[in-house]
Amino acid sequence: MKNFINNLYKNQDLFYKVFLFLLTTFLIVYIFPKGGKFKYEIPKGKPWQYENLYAPFDFAILKAPEEIAAEEGEIRENHTPYYDLDPEVAGDVRANLEERFSRIFPDTLRRSENRRLRSFIEKISAEIFDRGLLQEIVPREPQQLIYLREGNEVTEITYENILKLNQVRDFLNRKIDQAQLQNFREELIGLFFDSIKPNVSFNESLTQSELKSKLNQISYTRGSVERGTIIVAKGEIVEGDKLQTLNSLKAEYESQVWSEANYNWVIVGYTLLVFLALLMLMLFIRKYRYDIFQNNIKVTFIYFNVALMVLLTVLVINFNVEYVYVVPLCILPLTIKGFFDSRLGLFTHVITVLLLGFIVPDSYEYMFLQIIAGIVTILTVSELYKRANLFITVGQITLVYIVSYFAFTVIQEGSIYEVETETFLMFLLGGLATLFVQPLIYAYEKLFGLISDMSLLELSDTNTKLLKELSDKAPGTFHHSLNVANLAEAAANEINANSMLVRVGALYHDIGKMQNPTYFTENQTTSVNSHDELAPRESAQIIIEHVINGIETAKRRNLPDRVIDFIRTHHGTTTVYYFLQKAKDEDGEVNEEDFRYPGPLPFSKETAILMMCDSVEAASRSIKEPTSKVIDDFVEKIINKQMKEGQFLNSDITFMEIQQVKKVLKRKLKNIYHLRIEYPE
């Protein structure tokens, strides 16, 4: 049991990666839409390249969206609306007319005129309310049929038969002229306008209910295909009815009700494919990026981003599949490249696109566009911390999307007139969403403790609070750090290492000297040496402690771990040689471990470069009469000594790269000392 627990503890990193791998596989399979996957790509307008296709089961042929839209338009156009007639309005209006009549017309009217006016008012009001009076809101064609409902009875009439409120004045004027009552025109018009009100109203709920019922009766199919019937033969052009029949078969195949056994097999298939894709990503990281593979946080970050992109795409597809290109998938290679490198970014992007190819429509077109866009992203983006570069890259990505989509549409349709400009808008929105990569990288830095070029650029500013403090307390050390940073950056550029990272590491590698600055020669401004009154062992401990002090200071100031790594490793496990020799001269036998830096050894190209540049720059101050040969021998001696002590065994730097670094250091030191070529006499 004890051995089992020990093995479990020793292999905890491996167990975590297995757990992460299985968890990511489960999550992706869980969020994938479940159902059958049609095994053929339908080549619209091109020959059928597969074998003869026979119907695997009976299915109905779906109507094209244009046909259904035309039928819906015809139903809406010919639909008869409903209006309600309220019989109680006429009685109320007549009572109002009777009441207002006595107030408008004087008692001095002759009896015959009084009877004539009353008869006119009664006749006209009856005619108005028999026809129906409507306050028109939605104008209709005069000859359009409508249903006029009174109680349970419905009458079909033309729309022009109903009197509209805005037609009442003309109607009254015409009737007054016919009855020869022009002398009472104003009084009669005023009487009617003060008393009448509409008795017909549009019944929108009944109209819409009836329309919905008719729309629901539309048949979305036209004909059917029996099992075993040939659908398309090899070499036939896929267009017209054949295209619609194939689309109908695909829709039926992907939407049919699956039995529990079929569903389980679909899950097994998805699991195996996702398992293989994610396994390839894990194996790639293990083989070509072993330093990342050893870091569980970095592996988690990569798998988290893959799962996040799959989740976003699935959510958009479930909402509306037409918006699938709005998902800024190129954020993935941008992010991975920003934190790691372009090769890993492209490989991760391709794996993610392959996963999404299972669930998106027109999967070949989608994968082609996304992979090409990912390649363009990797090839064009450089120095992501520069805003102009990001905008240029996003513009190039959007342009590649548009050009690729245009080419696919022309191939499929054979005409530029079928290009959907709305899709171009989706590409533009996706490009704008890609700009979100900068705040996303910042969030990832805080969440996963990673560091990007943008953060390195901020840290490389010599006006930061920590570097200003170093300049004030230890000006010699600050000047030394600037020189080392320049040397290290040039060397890193020579061997294609991360020059920004090594420059930042060089600027901060000696911040531990701020606690005891006068114990380091570069900060001694007088002839008094603080070490003169100390034993060699005590002096060595003070010198060695600047590494520990630097690590503590860096952690207090929240410097990233990748920068702290330079503080830890810039002396490796070398010895404080001057005080070691002094102790041997004074005491004879000494314990060398008391004079040795705690390490660890440099474990990357960048940390190895800093060790070389730091040692060479510090020791170069002792050169009294520099010549080209002296500098060459001097650089060779220092770096060869480090190699002999095995200081670079854990870093992935090669002998050729070390020789290139030597060459850069020699050239830079000669420039610093302003050496000229010695011409023969």
Side-chain angles (χ1 to χ4, degrees):
M1 184 65 182
K2 185 177 181 181
N3 290 335
F4 174 77
I5 294 175
N6 289 336
N7 289 331
L8 189 65
Y9 179 78
K10 290 178 182 178
N11 298 302
Q12 57 179 329
D13 282 354
L14 179 61
F15 286 128
Y16 174 80
K17 291 179 179 66
V18 171
F19 170 75
L20 175 67
F21 175 80
L22 295 177
L23 177 63
T24 309
T25 303
F26 170 78
L27 288 176
I28 292 176
V29 173
Y30 179 77
I31 62 180
F32 267 3
K34 308 303 187 300
K37 181 73 174 177
F38 195 58
K39 64 179 180 179
Y40 302 106
E41 286 289 336
I42 300 177
K44 182 180 178 182
K46 294 191 293 186
W48 182 256
Q49 300 294 335
Y50 309 100
E51 71 279 1
N52 294 348
L53 179 61
Y54 296 88
F57 44 73
D58 297 341
F59 66 94
I61 301 176
L62 299 175
K63 293 179 182 177
E66 297 79 12
E67 296 179 68
I68 296 174
E71 290 186 26
E72 289 181 351
E74 185 178 356
I75 289 175
R76 293 180 188 277
E77 184 178 351
N78 298 326
H79 179 60
T80 304
Y82 281 84
Y83 287 81
D84 290 331
L85 188 145
D86 187 354
E88 296 181 0
V89 173
D92 296 339
V93 170
R94 288 191 182 98
N96 288 336
L97 288 170
E98 182 66 29
E99 180 186 349
R100 293 175 183 273
F101 182 86
S102 58
R103 284 187 287 171
I104 293 176
F105 294 98
D107 295 337
T108 57
L109 282 175
R110 292 195 301 270
R111 185 176 297 177
S112 59
E113 287 181 335
N114 189 292
R115 284 198 303 269
R116 188 180 172 198
L117 287 171
R118 287 182 180 277
S119 175
F120 176 81
I121 292 171
E122 184 176 347
K123 178 183 176 183
I124 296 304
S125 63
E127 186 175 345
I128 289 175
F129 291 111
D130 285 344
R131 283 183 61 179
L133 181 61
L134 171 69
Q135 184 173 358
E136 187 178 54
I137 298 176
V138 181
R140 302 186 187 276
E141 293 296 326
Q143 299 302 318
Q144 181 178 353
L145 293 176
I146 66 169
Y147 289 128
L148 188 61
R149 191 179 70 154
E150 183 177 359
N152 294 327
E153 295 183 4
V154 177
T155 306
E156 187 178 62
I157 61 173
T158 58
Y159 184 67
E160 65 180 352
N161 282 344
I162 298 179
L163 186 65
K164 316 306 183 295
L165 201 59
N166 59 3
Q167 299 172 346
V168 170
R169 181 178 292 276
D170 292 338
F171 174 79
L172 289 174
N173 282 326
R174 190 168 59 253
K175 293 299 181 180
I176 289 171
D177 291 339
Q178 291 174 1
Q180 297 182 354
L181 293 172
Q182 291 87 344
N183 294 336
F184 302 99
R185 184 186 302 276
E186 294 300 326
E187 290 84 351
L188 288 171
I189 290 176
L191 174 65
F192 274 98
F193 270 96
D194 288 342
S195 303
I196 64 172
K197 56 183 179 181
N199 68 331
V200 175
S201 60
F202 176 55
N203 192 328
E204 185 174 3
S205 62
L206 182 59
T207 301
Q208 292 299 323
S209 176
E210 187 74 13
L211 176 61
K212 186 177 180 180
S213 176
K214 290 181 179 180
L215 292 175
N216 289 337
Q217 292 175 7
I218 293 177
S219 174
Y220 289 86
T221 62
R222 50 175 176 83
S224 61
V225 177
E226 295 183 358
R227 180 179 181 180
T229 303
I230 187 169
I231 297 176
V232 60
K234 185 174 182 179
E236 283 190 276
I237 302 298
V238 179
E239 58 185 0
D241 290 341
K242 291 191 181 298
L243 176 61
Q244 193 58 34
T245 304
L246 281 169
N247 286 330
S248 302
L249 174 61
K250 180 180 179 180
E252 180 68 21
Y253 188 84
E254 293 182 346
S255 65
Q256 62 179 288
V257 179
W258 293 82
S259 66
E260 185 177 350
N262 285 340
Y263 180 83
N264 291 336
W265 280 116
V266 170
I267 295 297
V268 169
Y270 272 131
T271 303
L272 289 175
L273 290 175
V274 174
F275 181 90
L276 287 174
L278 295 180
L279 179 62
M280 295 304 105
L281 179 58
M282 183 68 79
L283 292 177
F284 177 89
I285 296 172
R286 187 180 185 278
K287 183 174 179 61
Y288 296 105
R289 299 293 181 271
Y290 193 71
D291 56 326
I292 297 175
F293 180 79
Q294 289 179 307
N295 190 315
N296 287 336
I297 293 178
K298 293 179 180 179
V299 176
T300 303
F301 171 76
I302 294 170
Y303 274 78
F304 171 80
N305 274 275
V306 173
L308 178 63
M309 287 299 150
V310 173
L311 176 61
L312 287 176
T313 305
V314 171
L315 290 176
V316 171
I317 290 175
N318 291 339
F319 174 71
N320 190 334
V321 72
E322 294 180 359
Y323 297 152
V324 68
Y325 286 109
V326 175
V327 179
L329 204 62
C330 287
I331 278 183
L332 181 60
L334 279 173
T335 305
I336 300 298
K337 182 178 180 180
F339 285 112
F340 306 116
D341 61 83
S342 56
R343 190 176 179 186
L344 179 58
L346 181 59
F347 193 88
T348 306
H349 179 71
V350 170
I351 291 294
T352 306
V353 172
L354 291 176
L355 290 172
L356 294 175
F358 300 152
I359 58 174
V360 296
D362 299 324
S363 56
Y364 176 76
E365 176 183 336
Y366 177 85
M367 289 192 293
F368 182 90
L369 263 64
Q370 296 292 8
I371 290 176
I372 290 295
I375 293 173
V376 170
T377 302
I378 293 299
L379 293 178
T380 59
V381 68
S382 60
E383 298 177 328
L384 188 60
Y385 52 85
K386 295 182 179 179
R387 288 172 295 180
N389 288 354
L390 180 59
F391 278 99
I392 292 171
T393 298
V394 168
Q396 292 171 331
I397 293 169
T398 306
L399 180 62
V400 166
Y401 273 131
I402 292 174
V403 171
S404 301
Y405 168 75
F406 176 82
F408 265 101
T409 304
V410 170
I411 291 172
Q412 293 172 350
E413 304 293 344
S415 170
I416 63 172
Y417 301 107
E418 299 297 327
V419 175
E420 297 179 0
T421 54
E422 294 84 359
T423 307
F424 293 160
L425 177 61
M426 300 303 161
F427 293 139
L428 291 174
L429 291 175
L432 292 175
T434 306
L435 296 174
F436 186 69
V437 67
Q438 281 196 330
L440 185 65
I441 285 177
Y442 178 78
Y444 280 153
E445 287 179 336
K446 302 304 179 184
L447 185 62
F448 291 93
L450 301 173
I451 185 169
S452 68
D453 286 349
M454 286 180 278
S455 293
L456 290 175
L457 180 66
E458 294 174 1
L459 290 171
S460 66
D461 184 3
T462 54
N463 289 316
T464 59
K465 187 176 180 180
L466 183 56
L467 290 181
K468 276 190 171 183
E469 187 178 342
L470 176 64
S471 176
D472 292 338
K473 292 183 177 179
T477 300
F478 177 72
H479 182 69
H480 160 71
S481 298
L482 286 176
N483 289 337
V484 174
N486 292 331
L487 292 173
E489 185 177 17
N493 285 326
E494 185 72 19
I495 65 173
N496 295 320
N498 190 333
S499 58
M500 179 69 75
L501 177 61
V502 76
R503 178 175 182 82
V504 172
L507 289 174
Y508 291 90
H509 78 284
D510 269 346
I511 58 174
K513 292 182 179 180
M514 287 191 295
Q515 291 196 18
N516 297 297
T518 58
Y519 284 91
F520 300 90
T521 56
E522 67 266 22
N523 298 311
Q524 294 172 358
T525 57
T526 64
S527 59
V528 178
N529 191 331
S530 302
H531 292 281
D532 291 343
E533 298 179 359
L534 298 177
R537 184 177 288 99
E538 293 175 336
S539 296
Q541 288 304 310
I542 292 174
I543 299 298
I544 291 171
E545 281 178 0
H546 89 272
V547 174
I548 308 300
N549 294 335
I551 294 172
E552 292 174 352
T553 302
K555 288 183 175 180
R556 284 199 307 271
R557 300 299 182 91
N558 296 318
L559 289 183
D561 286 340
R562 290 181 73 184
V563 176
I564 297 176
D565 288 340
F566 287 91
I567 302 174
R568 290 191 180 100
T569 62
H570 74 277
H571 284 295
T573 56
T574 58
T575 58
V576 185
Y577 187 74
Y578 174 81
F579 290 108
L580 175 61
Q581 292 302 318
K582 186 176 180 182
K584 286 182 178 180
D585 293 341
E586 293 179 0
D587 302 331
E589 293 294 327
V590 296
N591 184 4
E592 288 193 6
E593 296 305 314
D594 294 338
F595 296 84
R596 190 177 300 280
Y597 286 97
L601 297 176
F603 47 80
S604 66
K605 287 182 182 180
E606 289 77 16
T607 52
I609 289 171
L610 178 62
M611 171 179 273
M612 289 185 271
C613 295
D614 180 45
S615 300
V616 167
E617 202 284 332
S620 67
R621 299 169 184 272
S622 63
I623 301 177
K624 292 182 174 55
E625 297 181 1
T627 63
S628 180
K629 186 175 185 309
V630 167
I631 289 176
D632 289 349
D633 294 342
F634 168 77
V635 171
E636 290 286 344
K637 177 183 176 182
I638 290 178
I639 296 180
N640 288 343
K641 183 175 183 293
Q642 291 173 339
M643 292 174 63
K644 185 177 179 181
E645 293 177 352
Q647 297 298 316
F648 306 134
L649 291 179
N650 291 346
S651 59
D652 57 351
I653 194 167
T654 64
F655 284 113
M656 180 180 292
E657 289 169 337
I658 292 175
Q659 295 304 316
Q660 290 174 300
V661 172
K662 288 180 181 178
K663 182 178 177 182
V664 171
L665 293 177
K666 292 172 184 177
R667 184 178 70 248
K668 287 289 183 180
L669 286 178
K670 291 173 186 177
N671 291 337
I672 291 172
Y673 286 107
H674 305 289
L675 295 183
R676 296 194 302 176
I677 298 174
E678 297 179 7
Y679 293 98
E681 295 181 359

